[in-house]
Amino acid sequence: MNAASSFTAEGGCDCGHVRYRMEIRPLFVHCCHCRWCQRESGASFALNAMIEADRVTLLAAEPDLVDTPSDSGKGQMIARCPKCRIAVWSNYAGAGPLLRFVRVGTLDEPDRLPPDIHIFTASKQPWVVIPPGAPAVPEYYEPEKYWPAESLWRRQVLLPRIEEYRAARRRAAPTK
């Protein structure tokens, strides 16, 4: 048994209406310091655990998916509790519903998933201090340089499904 498959973590919204379980260790945990995440979260950064959607089990109610603008212009779907409106994860346009960016702060034990990397540090708040030795990049990065081998393998398994999703979206897009 590998380390990723022996990991589980549960979480949910403030009111408990939406509950979920991560059935495997996330691919990678981003601490994003971009201004868009700062605005969206109302905080200095967003801490997201990237995980395959089929590795997240709903334990209670379905969240509402709210179509929200993003810096890329492609938008994102934010999964929010229909009662308390807490965001529990996002799905970005690139991988759509196949990949979830789980809000680490919604985990019952968020301290179990510290950031693997700090991204978009060029726009971080000047008073935020990144720990010495922590991986940090001014913008984004190449996964091959930072992700563990198991996460890269899981990404390779997921990529054909992402390509199918993107192709279906292109076919469904209205022509101008």
Side-chain angles (χ1 to χ4, degrees):
M1 179 178 286
N2 59 34
S5 62
S6 64
F7 177 94
T8 62
E10 291 188 9
C13 64
D14 278 351
C15 73
H17 187 68
V18 173
R19 295 284 303 160
Y20 65 86
R21 179 185 309 113
M22 297 172 68
E23 304 289 352
I24 193 168
R25 180 169 291 285
L27 294 163
F28 216 58
V29 179
H30 291 150
C31 185
C32 184
H33 297 270
C34 79
R35 296 298 167 122
W36 200 273
C37 282
Q38 291 176 36
R39 183 180 311 109
E40 180 187 286
S41 68
S44 306
F45 49 81
L47 190 58
N48 293 311
M50 187 186 324
I51 186 171
E52 303 93 325
D54 61 2
R55 305 294 181 98
V56 179
T57 302
L58 276 174
L59 303 174
E62 283 276 338
D64 286 343
L65 294 178
V66 180
D67 193 1
T68 308
S70 68
D71 194 32
S72 71
K74 297 177 183 176
Q76 66 175 308
M77 300 301 284
I78 299 179
R80 294 186 175 276
C81 171
K83 291 186 175 186
C84 68
R85 306 309 293 163
I86 295 298
V88 291
W89 64 72
S90 285
N91 300 92
Y92 290 92
L98 301 172
L99 195 61
R100 292 186 177 160
F101 289 74
V102 173
R103 303 294 198 277
V104 171
T106 66
L107 290 169
D108 296 342
E109 299 176 79
D111 51 320
R112 292 181 63 201
L113 291 178
D116 292 312
I117 194 166
H118 292 262
I119 60 175
F120 293 97
T121 60
S123 55
K124 77 174 183 57
Q125 292 296 316
W127 45 264
V128 170
V129 178
I130 296 172
V137 293
E139 292 188 12
Y140 204 69
Y141 64 95
E142 294 295 323
E144 294 78 13
K145 291 182 182 177
Y146 294 94
W147 287 23
E150 182 174 342
S151 293
L152 289 170
W153 177 82
R154 288 167 49 198
R155 178 177 176 247
Q156 284 303 116
V157 170
L158 185 60
L159 282 175
R161 292 177 52 214
I162 291 173
E163 288 306 317
E164 289 173 21
Y165 164 78
R166 290 177 180 171
R169 283 185 47 108
R170 285 190 298 273
R171 286 190 301 273
T175 56
K176 295 181 182 182

